[in-house]
Amino acid sequence: MTLVVIPALMLMAALLSALGLGRRLASAVTLAATATALALAARAALLVAAGRPIVDISGWVSLDGFGALVLVVTVFVCFLAAIFSWGYVAEHWHDVGRISAYYAHLNLFMFALVLVPVLAEPALVWIAVEGTAVFSVLLVAFDNTHGALEAAWKYIALMFMGAAAALLGFLILFWAQQSSGGGVYSWDGLRAEAPHMPVPLVMAAFLLVLVGFGAKVGFVPMHTWLPDAHSQAPSAACALLSAIKTTVALYAILRLVPLLPAGTVSGVMEFTGLLSAGVAAFLLLQVGDYKRLFAYSTVEHMGIIFAAAGLGGAGALSGAMLQLVAHSLTKSFCFFAAGAALLVLGTREIASVRGLLRTSPVAGSALLFGALAIGGAPPFALFLSEFSIFRAGLERGHYLVIALLVIFIVIAFFGILAHVNRMVFGSPPGDSGARPGHTAAPQPGTGGNAHLPFRPRLPATVTLTLVLAAIPILVLGVYQPTSLHTLASMAAAALTPGGAP
Amino acid sequence: MHDPAAVPWLESLNALTGGLFLLTAFGLVALRQVYGCLRLYVIQSILLASSAFLLAALDHSWHLVAVGVLDASTKAIAVPWVFRRALHDEVQTRREITQVLNVPTALLLALALAIVAYLLAAPLVAAGGGRGVNVNLPVGLAGLFVGGLTAALRREAVPLFLGLLAMENSSFFAGIAVAPDLPLLAEVAIAFDVLILVLVVNVLTRAVHEHIGTTKVGALRTLRERETR
């Protein structure tokens, strides 16, 4: 019953936190729940990689290679968010009610996130993905500033609009399966029935889910809410939103791809992916807020993954899967680093920050590390996965798509590094002694957190989070364990029409 | 078994329900009063439940009866109750809603969207088949599009959200015909999800009201990119 226990742990932590345990106890409960969940998820993933898919409740709760990949990454980032929150909460809030509310919301959000990969019934997956939106809205609005409320409104409006479209998509999918002879309404049942299902119906379902959940992923015409929401929430929640919530929504869309005959939607996927990657790469050149910078980078990476999955073929698909994992790990690191910088600086404005490396060596070097890693510089995980996508794409002759991807990645790389360079290097504005007021003058509603004192020392748990989050990014950049490779190829097979489920 | 002669009669009644359902969707685009919008939403939800009961009678399906009861109790009773409490604090009198477009233009756009929905639904109806699908799918798809238009045109929190809820209603209106046997657990969970969402939006609306003194969410537009110097 491992798969049932993991979400149950999060739910229990949410209930306990809501009781008003006090800061230390709520932090400890959350940390214990996520640590246990991480151990269980890792064990489950190793079992799946060894060729033994887990079925807890047949047709409802099960785990295959694709699910295992998403589950492990999700729970790992939840664990990091729990450690990060420990010190962050102690710095920010002193009122027990606020702290209880924060942990209750955070745990509910994590509960919904881990449900997505373990559920096998599409209608329930729809509800879980909905849950990730509903439970994170209050986290986005948590700081209760003008900016936070605005972001939360835009967020919930677009989420719910997408939800209605995706719901109709999943209902039509059910219709398609029933009209071809029925079977169990689960990912596996659908794959088994796929060759007999009427293509127009599955196509309609795919397009509705693409539009509906694409809004949650942040695909380009529907990306406007993303930088707002991902910059206004508390940093641990930002990491979960940007690294995991987008990923689980993308996971749900990708599950529908193998139900259509091979190549039917490649064009749609490549176009959507390239559009998102391209627009985001240009948009991130002109941001003024470093959290928004990383948020646009999420839109870009979601585009890369979707375009790569659209290319098809085992190589590109497993490359896309590795990219999915590497992006989640790296992006969560970036938001933890941004959170550390925010703790030190008290502003999110890029223009007002100089010489962070001298003000706070930890936050400064973390931000630089994150920028290099998310840009896809060589010794890090994303370099390897992007490289394998390029190789697979070129082997199959998709020259135009790969060329465009390379251009967008290079633009984004320089965009991110240009912004982060300004912040990290140089001398801190306070050092010259000229204009002390220059450091923290955030605009109302956008800078937020102006009440925070200037505080170069970071809480120990924040530093610990950064170290723990950096390890997999470095390790996966030089060495990919066999089990990860097996899971990625299993996931690639699960995305290929007619491939072995 | 029912009298076979009763079947065409039930089917035309369902078609009438579908027509009225679409009319409420148009009404939500055009109506300028907050309470009026809420009342229209309740009527739409009752029509959704009626269609579920009619299809239940046609299919002899207890499952659809349960779905109808579930819809009526959440959407026609619980959701309006929450909204009425939210509205009570904010708008004592009937408030006019300002819109982005004038009413005739908005209605013309809605009509165009409805026609597009009918054209898109036709090949799907031909491919799938099933009782009531020829009415419920096009109406549901049209309602989805028109609801999206409503939400895009509204600037006031509650009517905007009612447009979104109308989209969800429309998805269900199509759903009761295309997926009548969807597991009841999923139906219950979806209804529960909508209820939680409404509560969350209620909390958020109150927070916005406390913070900026109005519920004109359309006026919220400070978050955008600034030039880096």
Side-chain angles (χ1 to χ4, degrees):
Chain A
M1 294 307 273
T2 323
L3 301 183
V4 181
V5 171
I6 294 172
L9 280 168
M10 312 285 190
L11 193 59
M12 230 146 65
L15 290 174
L16 286 174
S17 324
L19 291 177
L21 293 174
R23 182 178 66 79
R24 277 170 195 284
L25 219 50
S27 303
V29 163
T30 308
L31 189 58
T34 49
T36 320
L38 180 59
L40 290 173
R43 205 188 58 140
L46 286 176
L47 275 177
V48 174
R52 288 162 43 201
I54 302 172
V55 180
D56 265 9
I57 305 169
S58 180
W60 296 88
V61 182
S62 64
L63 195 70
D64 64 355
F66 192 12
L69 215 53
V70 174
L71 179 67
V72 169
V73 175
T74 303
V75 180
F76 180 67
V77 178
C78 289
F79 172 64
L80 292 178
I83 305 178
F84 186 89
S85 293
W86 193 302
Y88 186 88
V89 164
E91 287 292 311
H92 266 69
W93 305 297
H94 302 287
D95 165 23
V96 179
R98 290 282 286 163
I99 294 170
S100 307
Y102 171 76
Y103 273 114
H105 293 158
L106 187 70
N107 278 304
L108 276 177
F109 180 33
M110 299 198 286
F111 164 69
L113 288 174
V114 295
L115 272 181
V116 178
V118 301
L119 288 173
E121 213 259 7
L124 291 190
V125 171
W126 177 85
I127 291 156
V129 173
E130 261 326 284
T132 64
V134 171
F135 293 134
S136 57
V137 165
L138 293 176
L139 281 172
V140 172
F142 202 76
D143 280 341
N144 216 15
T145 58
H146 189 107
L149 290 173
E150 175 183 342
W153 243 109
K154 284 184 189 168
Y155 179 44
I156 194 80
L158 213 61
M159 285 308 99
F160 198 47
M161 213 183 260
L167 174 64
L168 186 55
F170 281 118
L171 292 171
I172 290 180
L173 193 63
F174 183 80
W175 183 30
Q177 194 190 19
Q178 293 299 310
S179 66
S180 79
V184 188
Y185 190 48
S186 69
W187 297 130
D188 283 346
L190 282 166
R191 270 174 67 72
E193 199 57 42
H196 314 293
M197 294 198 287
V199 177
L201 293 187
V202 186
M203 192 67 178
F206 174 79
L207 291 178
L208 281 166
V209 173
L210 176 62
V211 171
F213 282 179
K216 287 170 212 287
V217 176
F219 283 143
V220 149
M222 303 163 291
H223 67 288
T224 45
W225 63 274
L226 194 142
D228 296 347
H230 291 194
S231 61
Q232 296 296 326
S235 298
C238 290
L240 283 169
L241 277 168
S242 220
I244 302 299
K245 189 192 162 287
T246 47
T247 304
V248 298
L250 185 64
Y251 159 88
I253 299 175
L254 288 176
R255 280 286 190 191
L256 264 62
V257 173
L259 307 179
L260 285 154
T264 333
V265 286
S266 299
V268 177
M269 292 170 75
E270 284 160 20
F271 178 76
T272 313
L274 285 173
L275 185 68
S276 300
V279 171
F282 283 104
L283 281 175
L284 63 74
L285 293 177
Q286 44 103 49
V287 290
D289 173 327
Y290 53 84
K291 275 185 152 184
R292 293 176 77 91
L293 175 73
F294 291 130
Y296 278 119
S297 147
T298 300
V299 176
E300 182 223 347
H301 279 279
M302 289 298 126
I304 296 171
I305 297 167
F306 204 55
L311 293 177
L317 281 171
S318 65
M321 291 300 106
L322 291 175
Q323 176 88 358
L324 190 111
V325 172
H327 168 258
S328 290
L329 296 171
T330 314
K331 188 51 61 64
S332 64
F333 179 90
C334 288
F335 273 100
F336 292 132
L342 184 60
L343 277 177
V344 171
L345 298 163
T347 176
R348 290 195 293 260
E349 222 179 329
I350 295 173
S352 63
V353 183
R354 284 280 184 286
L356 183 59
L357 211 50
R358 275 204 236 163
T359 326
S360 165
V362 178
S365 49
L367 214 54
L368 190 62
F369 179 95
L372 285 169
I374 202 72
F380 304 112
L382 275 171
F383 173 74
L384 225 57
S385 56
E386 278 168 3
F387 195 74
S388 63
I389 291 172
F390 298 157
R391 203 180 45 197
L394 291 178
E395 271 169 14
R396 286 170 63 95
H398 300 287
Y399 301 112
L400 180 65
V401 176
I402 298 299
L404 285 171
L405 277 182
V406 171
I407 292 169
F408 297 150
I409 288 172
V410 169
I411 292 173
F413 179 81
F414 284 112
I416 293 169
L417 275 185
H419 286 303
V420 172
N421 266 346
R422 292 173 69 101
M423 297 171 61
V424 171
F425 296 111
S427 56
D431 255 18
S432 50
R435 290 164 299 158
H438 186 69
T439 10
Q443 308 253 329
T446 50
N449 303 42
H451 58 283
L452 284 179
F454 183 77
R455 193 181 180 292
R457 262 190 64 79
L458 286 169
T461 53
V462 170
T463 315
L464 176 67
T465 314
L466 291 172
V467 173
L468 286 177
I471 293 170
I473 304 173
L474 278 171
V475 170
L476 294 184
V478 286
Y479 162 73
Q480 296 191 331
T482 348
S483 47
L484 177 70
H485 249 290
T486 320
L487 285 179
S489 349
M490 281 176 158
L495 291 179
T496 315
Chain B
M1 287 295 281
H2 276 234
D3 179 12
V7 170
W9 172 71
L10 282 174
E11 269 180 357
S12 15
L13 203 58
N14 187 46
L16 179 67
T17 315
L20 290 174
F21 185 92
L22 196 56
L23 215 57
T24 57
F26 277 100
L28 278 172
V29 176
L31 214 64
R32 285 187 174 264
Q33 292 163 341
V34 177
Y35 273 119
C37 285
L38 187 60
R39 225 167 276 138
L40 262 184
Y41 173 73
V42 173
I43 294 171
Q44 193 184 50
S45 305
I46 292 170
L47 287 169
L48 168 63
S50 326
S51 181
F53 292 138
L54 288 171
L55 291 177
L58 279 165
D59 270 0
H60 312 291
S61 148
W62 282 107
H63 189 263
L64 275 178
V65 175
V67 172
V69 171
L70 198 65
D71 277 337
S73 54
T74 48
K75 289 172 193 162
I77 298 168
V79 170
W81 183 72
V82 172
F83 270 129
R84 263 177 222 283
R85 289 189 50 184
L87 284 175
H88 189 71
D89 294 352
E90 288 158 16
V91 250
Q92 301 293 341
T93 51
R94 299 174 160 205
R95 187 198 271 178
E96 293 277 305
I97 310 163
T98 47
Q99 278 194 326
V100 182
L101 281 179
N102 62 30
V103 175
T105 320
L107 278 176
L108 270 177
L109 269 176
L111 190 67
L113 285 175
I115 292 168
V116 171
Y118 271 84
L119 294 177
L120 289 177
L124 301 183
V125 173
R131 209 189 291 274
V133 167
N134 58 346
V135 172
N136 284 48
L137 186 67
V139 168
L141 208 55
L144 190 72
F145 293 168
V146 175
L149 180 72
T150 312
L153 294 183
R154 296 295 192 183
R155 287 291 172 263
E156 185 72 35
V158 172
L160 190 157
F161 198 67
L162 284 173
L164 298 177
L165 281 170
M167 286 178 80
E168 195 265 350
N169 256 358
S170 309
S171 284
F172 251 98
F173 195 79
I176 50 175
V178 301
D181 304 316
L182 195 72
L184 206 57
L185 175 66
E187 305 266 11
V188 172
I190 292 169
F192 186 64
D193 187 81
V194 170
L195 209 56
I196 291 183
L197 198 80
V198 169
L199 288 171
V200 167
V201 165
N202 190 18
V203 169
L204 211 57
T205 312
R206 274 162 194 268
V208 169
H209 185 248
E210 273 168 27
H211 209 81
I212 61 173
T214 166
T215 49
K216 278 195 178 143
V217 289
L220 293 171
R221 42 181 71 226
T222 53
L223 292 180
R224 32 185 63 182
E225 304 315 330
R226 275 159 295 127
E227 292 293 309
T228 43
R229 279 134 292 181

